[in-house]
Each structure stands twice: as structure tokens, then as C-alpha cells.
């Protein structure tokens, strides 16, 4: 096969010519505003459905919703790309504000639809759900109705939303402000310099142990100095959330996050149960790693320490070809799709100034395309990130034949296709490493992910659950928060830690995101869920791909329990399912222990 040379800069002109000042984009936004006006007009006369004949009206509202949503997503995604490729693009910034306001209006309209539907009488509802135009949306429609039923009256919910702007989300914004204000001084390469929190946190993987320790201690001290501010912020955010739950009659703090992830409590319990039962190999890994970095125990500040230097450089072209080759072994569709993404310039990978950090994949629903953003600097870890984002794009591709209503998947399954694609490439990279050091570095990279999901995220979950229980009884002091965090870390790391990080609760943004409660367990869920799919794929070979695609197609129209039962024949409320994914990670640890047995 002759291979093209792949461009490292994406093509955004196919959507709207001329970047953020594109007249085509202006026209699109004007048309979108008109569509939204008319949608609001439609809803102003939308009453509670009274009988079966209202199916017509509901079906047409769904079509209008889809129209607005897709036009809105397309605009938002394109403008997001403009800003990512050039953070100084002022026009794109203005457009983002405009699209944000349109988005807020759209959300309010959606709430009206939900509330009207929730008031439908049961017998009328049952008849409506049998209508051939509505049947295919019954999962989502039922979910909307159930959700709305568990809320307070429209008036009360409106008041909560209004008060939440200052009384809830405001605390979350205050957190960002407080963190932005924290500066620490650390000596790097013999020179003392000032660092922001983000910069100082990046020193956690510095090759010099004293830099790692010093930056960690400086940060701990900074959190200690301001612990009362962070404790107050956290307590008030949690207090607001708990007060709302109490008014709605919800007794478990996990109700909302579980509903959002379409997951049962039993599933969550089984997942953590299986993880807790298999900590021993990871504790062994931590011990070996502490020996490799020359420490007496595994201290928090050495968790990210490099054990070896990975020096291998891979050009973008080589990286792309490596990905395509490995994807091809899994299945023809994934390979064909990804080749097209490279050839059609869907990927922005060039290393140049003014790009925002990190990587993402975004969908353009009107064009049935995706765009991937990252900065490629030639490491194997970049190659894995590229594969990860291609996995997200493949998920959207698999969902192409599915109606917009049935594409809104939750966070837990969102990382399934991406982690799966990343695993294919990360695994192959370890196998094909040319030097022992390279192999070790890549293997450690994989194990680090398991430690993050099974230990670090577990600690966050344990801490958050316990904190919320205590918060129900009153304000939890900063020193008590430190104790809760220390206990959670010791437990989650299987007593494998030396020095812990008691102020982690102050340092981690995820505890302060008001819009998503318990921003932790869905990560672990997505990781292990995709590992189990990966284990199945290895077992079944390339014939598995068809099943995989049909699983992806169903990710937004059933609970995670039903999804796993239908496509994998697995009961995920049981430990046994989760243990299969964990077993793959344990294998990596065993290989690591063997490779390093002489070095310890
Ligand atoms: Zn991802």
C-alpha cells in the first residue's frame, strides 16, 4: 500500500471558510438564532400531553430539538477548535460567549420539554411510548420523565437554579481564584524560582528526587497556609448540594452521580470491591518503585518519578503508521476510519506556540466528521494520546446512523472507545520496544494508569463519601479533612505509602466542580469497562469488531448494566466481571517486577 504523507495541521475551512471571522460562520449563527427563536415559540404553546394523538406534536418537537442541538454543537465545536489552535484569537473568544448564551437558552427550553412530559398521566404516557415515531426514543424520554418527577415543583427548582448561581457555583469560581493566587518557590538546577500550582505540580515527574520532594513540600505548606479558605469553600459547596438533596428527598449523595452515569449502586460496589481485593500486586509495584528511586518507602512525591529515561523519538508519520498497523490487527473498520482521519486532515498535531495544552476530540454533527487536537512532540506517550483521541472519534463514527437523541452517552462510557484504542497501541508499543529501558518506561506508563484509577481515584472516592457523611452533621474542620484524606490514601494505596498528601482535598480541582458531583468513579469505571472489552477482543480476534461497533451504538440508550449484558453477556454487578480487567493490569505489574528484579 502506498502511504501518503500526513499533514500535521487540521482543515477547519471545510466547515466555515476563513476562521473566526468567516462570513459563513456568521450566517450560520444568525440562522441558528432564528431556529432557537422559533423553537422557543413552539414551546410557549406546548402543553402537557393529554392523549395519544399528541405523539405528533412530541415527535415534531424532538425533530426541532435535534436541529437546534446539532447546529449549536457544530458552531460550538468549530469555535472551540479556533480557540485551541490559537489562544489569542479574540474574535473566537467573542463567538464563544455568544454561543454560550445560545446554549443557556437551549438548556432552559429543554427543561420546559422535560417538565411538560413529566406531567403526562401514566396511561397516556404508556400509549405514547408505543407510538412508532416515539418508540425509538423511549429510553431517553422515560429517563427525562423519571428525572423530572424526582425534582421539586417548577417554581422551587427555578429558585434553586437562581440561588445556585451565587450560593453554589460561585464557590466553585472562588476556588479557581484561590488556586490562581497560590505561588511557591522551588530550587531547580541550582536556581530558586517562583512557580504557579500547575507548574509546581509538573515537577512531580522531575528526574531529580530533591526537586520532587521540595516542590511537594512547598505545595503542602502553601495549602496549609490557606487551608481555612479551602475548607470553607468545600464545606459550603457540599452544604448547598446536601440541602438541595434533602429538599428533594434524596438520602444518598451517590444518587445524582449514579443517575448521571446510568449506573446502579451494586455495580459501583462490585467495582470497588473487586479493586480492593486485588491491591497486593500494585503494592508490590510501589515497593519496587521506591527501591528503584532509592527511597526507604513509596512517598507520595515519588509516585510520578521516572524509573528510566525513554529517549526514543517517533516522527508524526511513523507514529501514524504505527497506530494504523496496530488498529488493523484489531479490525478493518477502525483502521480504515483512522486512515481517513489522517488523510482528510482531521488532526491538529503540530508543535507551535499559542496552542492550548492537552488534547481533545470534538464532533461536527452536521458534517459527520470529528476533529482531534493535540501537540505532538515525538514521544510514545504522544502516540498513545493520538490513539486515544482517534478512539473517541471512532465512537462518534459508530454512532453516525443513530438519531441525535440517542447519542448522548454518559461520562463513564465516554472513555470506553478511547481507552480501548489507547490500550491497543500502548500494548503493542511495549511488545515492540527495541531496548530494555524503552520497554520498562512504556510498561511503567501503563502501570501508572492502573495506580491512578485503582488507588488515587479510589482514595478520592473514599474521601468524598466519608466527607459528605460527616458534612451532613455539620461543618468539617480543615484538620479533620486532612485526617479523612490521609486515612483514605492509606487505605486506597493498600498501606503501600510512606509520606502521604493530607491536603490533596485542597489541591484537587475535581472536588470543586459544582456541575458534576463525584467527579471520580466514572474514570475508573471507563478504564476497567474498556479493559474488559479489550480482554474479549484479544480472545475473539478480528471478528470481534462488529460486536464492538454495535456496543458503541448502544452506549446512550441503556443502563451500563444492560449494555454489558446485551453485548458482552456479562453481569457487571458481580466482582467476577471487574476482575478480568484487573487481571490484565496485574500482568503488567508482574512483567515489571521481573524486568526490574536485578535492579532493586
Ligand atoms: Zn478521553
Amino acid at each position: 500500500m502506498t502511504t501518503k504523507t500526513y499533514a500535521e495541521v487540521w482543515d477547519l475551512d471545510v466547515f466555515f471558510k476563513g476562521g473566526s471571522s468567516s462570513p459563513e460562520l456568521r450566517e450560520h449563527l444568525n440562522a441558528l438564532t432564528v431556529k432557537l427563536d422559533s423553537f422557543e415559540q413552539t414551546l410557549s404553546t406546548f402543553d402537557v400531553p393529554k392523549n395519544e394523538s399528541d405523539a405528533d406534536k412530541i415527535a415534531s418537537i424532538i425533530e426541532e430539538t435535534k436541529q437546534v442541538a446539532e447546529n449549536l454543537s457544530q458552531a460550538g465545536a468549530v469555535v472551540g477548535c479556533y480557540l485551541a489552535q490559537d489562544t489569542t484569537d479574540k474574535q473566537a473568544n467573542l463567538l464563544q460567549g455568544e454561543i454560550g448564551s445560545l446554549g443557556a437558552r437551549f438548556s432552559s427550553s429543554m427543561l420546559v420539554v422535560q417538565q411538560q412530559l413529566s406531567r403526562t398521566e401514566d396511561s397516556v404516557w404508556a400509549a405514547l411510548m408505543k407510538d412508532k415515531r416515539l418508540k425509538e426514543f423511549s429510553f431517553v424520554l422515560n429517563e427525562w420523565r423519571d428525572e423530572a418527577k424526582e425534582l421539586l415543583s417548577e417554581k422551587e427548582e427555578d429558585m434553586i437554579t437562581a440561588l445556585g448561581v451565587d450560593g453554589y457555583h460561585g464557590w466553585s469560581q472562588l476556588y479557581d481564584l484561590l488556586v490562581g493566587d497560590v505561588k511557591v518557590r522551588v530550587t531547580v538546577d541550582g536556581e530558586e524560582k517562583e512557580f504557579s500550582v500547575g507548574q509546581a505540580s509538573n515537577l512531580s515527574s522531575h528526574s531529580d528526587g530533591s526537586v520532587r520532594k521540595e516542590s511537594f513540600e512547598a505545595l503542602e505548606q502553601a495549602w496549609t497556609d490557606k487551608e481555612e479558605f479551602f475548607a470553607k469553600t468545600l464545606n459550603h459547596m457540599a452544604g448547598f448540594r446536601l440541602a438541595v438533596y434533602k429538599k428533594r428527598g434524596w438520602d444518598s449523595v451517590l444518587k445524582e452521580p449514579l443517575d448521571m452515569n446510568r449506573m446502579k449502586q451494586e455495580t459501583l460496589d462490585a467495582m470497588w470491591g473487586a479493586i480492593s481485593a486485588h491491591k497486593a500486586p500494585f503494592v508490590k509495584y510501589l515497593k519496587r518503585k521506591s527501591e528503584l528511586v532509592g527511597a526507604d518507602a513509596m512517598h507520595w512525591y515519588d509516585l510520578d518519578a521516572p524509573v528510566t529515561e525513554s529517549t526514543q523519538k517517533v516522527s508524526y508519520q511513523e507514529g501514524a503508521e504505527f497506530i494504523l498497523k496496530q488498529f488493523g490487527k484489531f479490525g478493518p473498520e477502525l483502521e480504515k476510519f483512522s486512515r481517513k482521519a489522517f488523510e482528510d486532515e482531521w488532526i491538529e498535531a503540530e508543535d507551535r506556540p499559542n496552542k492550548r495544552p492537552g488534547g481533545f476530540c470534538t464532533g461536527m454533527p452536521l458534517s459527520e466528521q470529528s476533529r482531534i487536537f493535540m501537540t505532538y512532540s515525538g514521544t510514545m506517550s504522544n502516540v498513545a494520546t493520538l490513539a486515544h483521541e482517534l478512539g473517541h472519534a471512532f465512537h462518534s463514527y459508530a454512532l453516525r446512523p443513530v438519531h441525535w437523541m440517542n447519542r448522548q452517552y454518559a461520562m463513564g462510557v465516554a472513555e470506553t472507545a478511547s481507552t480501548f484504542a489507547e490500550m491497543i497501541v500502548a500494548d503493542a508499543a511495549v511488545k515492540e520496544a527495541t531496548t530494555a529501558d524503552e520497554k520498562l518506561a512504556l510498561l511503567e506508563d501503563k502501570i501508572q494508569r492502573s495506580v491512578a484509577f485503582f488507588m488515587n481515584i479510589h482514595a478520592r472516592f473514599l474521601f468524598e463519601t466519608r466527607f459528605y457523611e460527616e458534612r451532613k452533621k455539620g461543618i468539617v474542620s480543615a484538620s479533620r479533612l486532612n485526617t479523612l484524606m490521609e486515612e483514605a490514601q492509606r487505605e486506597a494505596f493498600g498501606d503501600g505509602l510512606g509520606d502521604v498528601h493530607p491536603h490533596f482535598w485542597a489541591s484537587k480541582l475535581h472536588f470543586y466542580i459544582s456541575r458534576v458531583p463525584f467527579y471520580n468513579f466514572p474514570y475508573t469505571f471507563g478504564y476497567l469497562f474498556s479493559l474488559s472489552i479489550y480482554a474479549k477482543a484479544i480472545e475473539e480476534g478480528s471478528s470481534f469488531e462488529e460486536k464492538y461497533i454495535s456496543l458503541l451504538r448502544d452506549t446512550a440508550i441503556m443502563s451500563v448494566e444492560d449494555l454489558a449484558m446485551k453485548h458482552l453477556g456479562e453481569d457487571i454487578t458481580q466482582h467476577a466481571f471487574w476482575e478480568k480487567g484487573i487481571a490484565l493490569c496485574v500482568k503488567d505489574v508482574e512483567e515489571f517486577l521481573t524486568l526490574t528484579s536485578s535492579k532493586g
Side-chain angles (χ1 to χ4, degrees):
M1 200 180 298
T2 50
T3 327
K4 277 177 68 174
T5 304
Y6 302 126
E8 285 188 55
V9 179
W10 58 15
D11 177 10
L12 298 178
D13 269 359
V14 293
F15 307 118
F16 304 103
K17 249 190 177 41
S20 55
S21 47
S22 160
E24 285 175 25
L25 174 58
R26 186 64 265 161
E27 231 168 85
H28 176 87
L29 288 172
N30 294 345
L32 169 61
T33 309
V34 172
K35 278 195 181 78
L36 190 56
D37 289 342
S38 111
F39 184 48
E40 286 169 343
Q41 193 59 39
T42 309
L43 292 181
S44 65
T45 59
F46 177 49
D47 258 337
V48 177
K50 294 281 185 306
N51 53 54
E52 286 172 66
S53 63
D54 285 326
D56 251 350
K57 178 86 182 161
I58 301 173
S60 94
I61 284 183
I62 289 174
E63 278 322 295
E64 239 186 300
T65 307
K66 175 192 149 154
Q67 285 296 324
V68 178
E70 291 191 340
N71 279 282
L72 190 61
S73 311
Q74 180 100 0
V78 169
V79 170
C81 289
Y82 293 153
L83 276 171
Q85 69 179 5
D86 179 7
T87 51
T88 64
D89 189 336
K90 288 203 180 74
Q91 178 59 19
N93 231 314
L94 287 175
L95 291 174
Q96 195 181 43
E98 183 181 342
I99 295 166
S101 313
L102 294 174
R105 277 172 61 191
F106 178 64
S107 301
S108 307
S109 298
M110 289 295 291
L111 207 64
V112 173
V113 178
Q114 263 175 286
Q115 276 163 344
Q116 297 297 54
L117 292 180
S118 74
R119 296 196 190 99
T120 315
E121 227 176 86
D122 286 351
S123 60
V124 176
W125 186 257
L128 284 171
M129 289 304 103
K130 285 192 192 113
D131 186 280
K132 64 178 192 310
R133 282 156 303 176
L134 300 182
K135 223 179 181 166
E136 69 162 309
F137 309 123
S138 64
F139 177 81
V140 177
L141 290 173
N142 278 317
E143 195 177 47
W144 283 3
R145 183 171 148 95
D146 294 345
E147 240 171 55
K149 272 185 171 170
E150 292 191 271
L151 298 177
L152 296 163
S153 73
E154 199 180 332
K155 225 172 150 186
E156 288 167 306
E157 288 293 336
D158 272 352
M159 189 177 286
I160 292 173
T161 307
L163 294 177
V165 174
D166 290 307
Y168 184 34
H169 305 300
W171 288 105
S172 180
Q173 290 159 15
L174 178 68
Y175 175 79
D176 295 339
L177 198 67
L178 287 171
V179 172
D181 206 37
V182 174
K183 298 274 184 292
V184 295
R185 300 195 70 83
V186 186
T187 309
V188 182
D189 303 328
E191 200 190 326
E192 199 195 84
K193 277 190 235 159
E194 190 177 82
F195 291 92
S196 68
V197 172
Q199 291 170 319
S201 303
N202 282 341
L203 297 174
S204 70
S205 57
H206 200 279
S207 58
D208 182 347
S210 62
V211 172
R212 293 195 300 271
K213 189 164 190 274
E214 196 188 319
S215 59
F216 171 82
E217 283 169 352
L219 281 169
E220 256 296 323
Q221 189 54 52
W223 302 123
T224 307
D225 293 343
K226 291 198 170 156
E227 64 177 6
E228 294 302 335
F229 297 99
F230 291 106
K232 200 155 195 69
T233 305
L234 190 63
N235 269 282
H236 287 315
M237 278 192 66
F240 185 95
R241 203 175 264 165
L242 285 168
V244 172
Y245 290 171
K246 197 174 169 190
K247 293 281 176 209
R248 288 180 185 156
W250 302 356
D251 17 288
S252 167
V253 288
L254 286 171
K255 180 190 162 29
E256 190 178 19
L258 285 169
D259 284 352
M260 284 170 93
N261 284 286
R262 295 165 170 154
M263 191 190 298
K264 282 187 191 160
Q265 174 86 49
E266 292 101 286
T267 300
L268 185 61
D269 292 343
M271 181 182 89
W272 287 133
I275 289 171
S276 299
H278 293 91
K279 300 253 176 178
F282 301 98
V283 175
K284 262 192 217 156
Y285 154 79
L286 292 176
K287 182 157 191 328
R288 175 65 53 81
K289 180 161 178 173
S290 71
E291 289 160 11
L292 293 174
V293 299
D296 52 336
M298 191 66 221
H299 303 300
W300 189 278
Y301 43 81
D302 285 334
L303 281 170
D304 299 336
V307 287
T308 173
E309 216 135 297
S310 161
T311 47
Q312 196 192 344
K313 284 282 173 200
V314 197
S315 74
Y316 183 69
Q317 187 71 20
E318 286 166 344
E321 280 162 20
F322 184 76
I323 289 173
L324 292 174
K325 184 174 124 200
Q326 305 310 330
F327 280 0
K329 289 182 193 163
F330 162 71
E333 283 290 315
L334 180 61
E335 195 258 3
K336 207 173 85 195
F337 165 80
S338 304
R339 188 176 297 279
K340 193 172 155 51
F342 282 115
E343 286 179 354
D344 292 356
E345 301 168 14
W346 288 17
I347 303 160
E348 169 56 58
E350 198 178 48
D351 194 348
R352 61 162 191 271
N354 290 334
K355 279 175 73 165
R356 58 158 268 198
F360 66 79
C361 172
T362 188
M364 309 290 172
L366 295 177
S367 324
E368 294 192 325
Q369 295 187 20
S370 292
R371 285 296 178 271
I372 287 168
F373 178 87
M374 67 170 300
T375 299
Y376 188 92
S377 61
T379 64
M380 260 334 269
S381 154
N382 289 154
V383 179
T385 303
L386 189 49
H388 178 105
E389 303 306 341
L390 280 165
H392 278 303
F394 188 68
H395 193 178
S396 303
Y397 170 76
L399 282 165
R400 262 189 333 171
V402 174
H403 191 279
W404 173 83
M405 280 276 284
N406 290 338
R407 287 189 201 178
Q408 313 308 311
Y409 49 77
M411 188 186 163
V413 289
E415 291 303 334
T416 300
S418 53
T419 314
F420 182 84
E422 191 180 340
M423 281 305 286
I424 294 176
V425 167
D427 242 7
V430 173
K431 287 201 187 90
E432 297 193 8
T434 46
T435 69
D437 261 8
E438 187 62 30
K439 195 184 192 77
L440 198 60
L442 291 166
L443 197 56
E444 225 251 334
D445 219 47
K446 282 185 78 192
I447 300 169
Q448 292 267 33
R449 272 175 250 172
S450 301
V451 170
F453 293 119
F454 301 160
M455 295 171 139
N456 187 321
I457 302 270
H458 194 197
R460 298 182 204 184
F461 177 78
L462 291 173
F463 165 81
E464 206 161 22
T465 331
R466 291 164 188 172
F467 160 61
Y468 269 89
E469 277 317 306
E470 295 201 4
R471 181 65 186 83
K472 282 181 185 169
K473 293 170 209 130
I475 295 282
V476 184
S477 71
S479 77
R480 180 64 189 153
L481 288 168
N482 292 335
T483 308
L484 284 174
M485 185 51 89
E486 171 157 4
E487 283 170 5
Q489 285 171 351
R490 297 227 175 270
E491 184 181 334
F493 282 79
D495 280 324
L497 287 178
D499 294 347
V500 291
H501 185 358
H503 283 89
F504 186 74
W505 60 269
S507 78
K508 204 27 94 182
L509 164 82
H510 293 72
F511 295 124
Y512 299 84
I513 298 175
S514 55
R515 293 184 197 278
V516 188
F518 278 77
Y519 210 128
N520 43 58
F521 69 81
Y523 280 123
T524 306
F525 175 91
Y527 180 62
L528 270 179
F529 192 65
S530 73
L531 278 183
S532 308
I533 298 173
Y534 186 65
K536 266 224 150 42
I538 295 172
E539 233 174 80
E540 298 192 16
S542 63
S543 64
F544 181 73
E545 191 176 38
E546 218 171 295
K547 284 188 208 168
Y548 176 61
I549 292 172
S550 50
L551 178 147
L552 291 178
R553 267 187 200 143
D554 277 348
T555 39
I557 50 162
M558 54 186 75
S559 68
V560 287
E561 289 83 13
D562 289 349
L563 185 70
M565 187 48 84
K566 180 176 170 188
H567 294 281
L568 305 170
E570 298 273 5
D571 180 358
I572 64 171
T573 63
Q574 301 300 313
H575 277 205
F577 168 77
W578 300 102
E579 279 164 347
K580 286 182 205 172
I582 299 169
L584 284 178
C585 306
V586 170
K587 262 196 205 146
D588 290 337
V589 172
E590 282 163 356
E591 195 177 351
F592 180 88
L593 292 173
T594 310
L595 283 175
T596 55
S597 59
S598 57
K599 294 190 177 182

